[in-house]
Amino acid sequence: AQSVTQPDIHITVSEGASLELRCNYSYGATPYLFWYVQSPGQGLQLLLKYFSGDTLVQGIKGFEAEFKRSQSSFNLRKPSVHWSDAAEYFCAVSNFGNEKLTFGTGTRLTIIP
Amino acid sequence: NAGVTQTPKFRVLKTGQSMTLLCAQDMNHEYMYWYRQDPGMGLRLIHYSVGEGTTAKGEVPDGYNVSRLKKQNFLLGLESAAPSQTSVYFCASRGEGSNQPQHFGDGTRLSIL
């Protein structure tokens, strides 16, 4: 069965600083990987996805993620965070055929001035 | 463009009462999903549907039933609500093709007293 680990429950970053959120997955084949963002009281919005090809994927709002098969990781990065990036971030992995998603427990991001 | 719409947004029930949560999507998507979100646990899949007239169990199906009589609607039912079902419920849908991401509604906050 597939699983996702987000080891950081809560991260605090200064506005303008760089950001990296960690995600490790467990899956027996080539995974489909996603990052979603959730603002308070809202649903989840897709930031980016990886299915195949280039291991560095670009998403919305200036985010990017890199798939590293050898480390079973799909870390999310942003070079300079903005106060509006404060939210909860979820990594997810899909089974073959992308029928079902398994989510990590999320990382809450706080931005300080 | 409404996307995925969940009804109601909030509800308070007493233990033992029943209710139905409605999810409607206007994107002609084949796949639909119901998740619950609890603090520190991410999103967990309750039931899902791969097309009109089909349903399948997810990770945490006990205490819930679903129906997909029309392609655009996916109903989640609680026959006898329990306090353990207090949660935020999210519906999602995705189109045909394994490279399609899931699109989420804004959630239903349900409290069982």
Side-chain angles (χ1 to χ4, degrees):
Chain A
Q2 65 226 45
S3 66
V4 176
T5 301
Q6 293 181 250
D8 303 305
I9 296 173
H10 184 206
I11 285 183
T12 300
V13 177
S14 297
E15 190 169 14
S18 64
L19 171 70
E20 182 169 24
L21 301 182
R22 296 183 290 166
C23 172
N24 292 98
Y25 68 89
S26 173
Y27 185 60
T30 300
Y32 295 163
L33 294 160
F34 306 81
W35 275 100
Y36 283 86
V37 60
Q38 183 182 32
S39 297
Q42 301 295 313
L44 277 70
Q45 181 184 21
L46 179 70
L47 283 176
L48 46 80
K49 60 184 179 181
Y50 171 79
F51 288 103
S52 64
D54 193 347
T55 56
L56 184 63
V57 294
Q58 303 297 319
I60 62 172
K61 304 185 180 186
F63 285 93
E64 67 177 26
E66 186 172 11
F67 170 59
K68 293 185 177 180
R69 184 188 300 275
S70 62
Q71 298 177 20
S72 297
S73 69
F74 189 56
N75 294 349
L76 182 70
R77 301 192 294 248
K78 187 170 185 178
S80 176
V81 298
H82 185 263
W83 64 266
S84 60
D85 293 324
E88 188 146 22
Y89 292 79
F90 292 94
C91 181
V93 63
S94 178
N95 64 334
F96 177 75
N98 194 19
E99 187 171 280
K100 296 187 290 182
L101 280 180
T102 298
F103 285 86
T105 52
T107 297
R108 184 161 62 92
L109 177 64
T110 297
I111 309 295
I112 57 176
Chain B
N1 186 4
V4 179
T5 303
Q6 293 185 231
T7 309
K9 297 190 184 305
F10 304 95
R11 186 74 184 268
V12 178
L13 291 178
K14 295 181 179 179
T15 298
Q17 287 185 319
S18 63
M19 81 160 295
T20 300
L21 279 64
L22 171 63
C23 177
Q25 52 94 3
D26 61 2
M27 298 173 283
N28 200 34
H29 283 172
E30 289 293 331
Y31 295 75
M32 296 189 74
Y33 304 83
W34 275 108
Y35 295 89
R36 60 178 290 172
Q37 183 179 30
D38 302 292
M41 302 189 74
L43 278 77
R44 293 180 292 167
L45 183 64
I46 303 171
H47 287 282
Y48 65 104
S49 169
V50 301
E52 181 179 318
T54 75
T55 63
K57 294 181 179 180
E59 181 185 354
V60 289
D62 294 343
Y64 305 95
N65 56 75
V66 288
S67 64
R68 183 97 182 268
L69 298 180
K70 294 182 179 180
K71 185 177 184 179
Q72 63 268 34
N73 295 337
F74 194 31
L75 279 62
L76 178 71
L78 286 72
E79 290 185 347
S80 179
S84 61
Q85 294 177 303
T86 293
S87 187
V88 181
Y89 292 85
F90 287 97
C91 177
S93 70
R94 78 163 180 87
E96 197 72 45
S98 60
N99 64 346
Q100 298 300 309
Q102 293 184 20
H103 299 264
F104 284 80
D106 288 337
T108 294
R109 186 173 295 274
L110 183 61
S111 294
I112 315 295
L113 305 179

